[in-house]
Amino acid sequence: MQGRNIRKDARRNRRAALRKELLLSREMIGARVRELAGEISEDYRGKEPLLVSVLKGSVFFFADLVREITLPSKIDFVRAASYGKEMNSCGSVRLTKDLELPVEGKSILLVEDIVDTGLTLSYITGLLADRGAESIKICALVDKLERRERHVPIDYCGFKVEEGFLVGYGLDFDEKYRSLPEIFILKE
Ligand code: IMP
């Protein structure tokens, strides 16, 4: 446990010394969000999907996306915490906030900020499948490829990045930077 905290602190200190470089402007994000919403509205035509935000990072993306989707839909929220990533173990995930609406027989669209190892979404999709969801699709603003451990099919992807730590537009470093309207990459 102690070893894990020391590693986490060291990583936090390294990131705290980094500068941020603009990666995605408001305009780029806004244009891509509208495109994604258009695709989603088309693909789910005639259906009433349950749109689920994976907290907290997706909150601004979710709010912007949902308001561009031209379908009758319901919204809900879920939050997961993961353990073990600092130790480079396989990591395990648990829910810290469950959905409130029923899932059985529903077409679910999970909306995530960034997919990194894939552990979080792999856990949540497994859980919703066990609860009898009719279909589960994933919409992620950023697909970060470098550290993927679990294959998660991303049906709607905003942007792909190879590596790096991103902040802004909901993405945080130690709970900072979430409220920035653009997305930055932390650089040495
Ligand atoms: P995964 O289970 O490794 O895919 O974890 C995904 C979660 O890790 C995201 O929802 C974020 O909360 C966090 N995360 C991963 N990469 C970044 C990043 O570059 N910036 C901020 N948060 C990140």
Side-chain angles (χ1 to χ4, degrees):
M1 197 62 186
Q2 184 129 29
R4 181 183 299 180
N5 289 339
I6 288 166
R7 274 171 187 252
K8 208 172 177 179
D9 287 349
R11 203 161 61 171
R12 186 173 286 156
N13 290 340
R14 276 201 307 279
R15 286 199 185 128
L18 299 176
R19 67 188 164 79
K20 47 188 211 335
E21 192 177 287
L22 184 65
L23 184 70
L24 299 167
S25 66
R26 286 178 194 220
E27 291 72 23
M28 288 166 80
I29 297 169
R32 192 69 188 113
V33 168
R34 284 189 291 279
E35 284 174 1
L36 291 172
E39 277 180 52
I40 292 164
S41 305
E42 196 58 45
D43 293 354
Y44 282 90
R45 191 191 291 267
K47 295 196 168 177
E48 194 175 319
L50 175 58
L51 308 173
V52 178
S53 159
V54 183
L55 294 170
K56 298 185 202 175
S58 74
V59 69
F60 302 122
F61 174 43
F62 186 71
D64 289 344
L65 184 77
V66 163
R67 287 177 297 168
E68 295 286 342
I69 292 177
T70 55
L71 294 167
S73 56
K74 291 183 178 165
I75 65 167
D76 207 346
F77 300 87
V78 68
R79 184 156 195 223
S82 53
Y83 298 93
K85 283 197 252 180
E86 294 80 12
M87 302 289 286
N88 279 333
S89 74
C90 64
S92 62
V93 180
R94 71 180 171 89
L95 285 196
T96 55
K97 191 224 167 290
D98 206 338
L99 283 93
E100 289 167 12
L101 297 176
V103 163
E104 197 176 343
K106 297 284 188 283
S107 307
I108 312 271
L109 181 66
L110 281 172
V111 180
E112 173 68 301
D113 53 354
I114 185 164
V115 184
D116 186 12
T117 62
L119 290 167
T120 306
L121 281 182
S122 142
Y123 174 76
I124 295 174
T125 50
L127 192 85
L128 299 182
D130 288 347
R131 290 182 185 176
E134 184 203 79
S135 69
I136 304 164
K137 286 190 176 185
I138 292 173
C139 175
L141 181 63
V142 180
D143 182 6
K144 189 164 77 172
L145 305 162
E146 183 195 18
R147 301 201 313 150
R148 192 63 38 85
E149 289 178 33
R150 296 283 156 79
H151 172 69
V152 279
I154 302 177
D155 303 279
Y156 307 97
C157 170
F159 303 94
K160 280 186 194 295
V161 299
E162 210 41 58
E163 58 187 5
F165 198 83
L166 311 190
V167 295
Y169 195 60
L171 292 161
D172 76 308
F173 157 57
D174 211 11
E175 292 300 327
K176 283 187 293 199
Y177 305 121
R178 282 198 203 275
S179 60
L180 297 173
E182 304 91 359
I183 293 183
F184 297 84
I185 185 160
L186 293 183
K187 288 259 169 126
E188 298 208 30

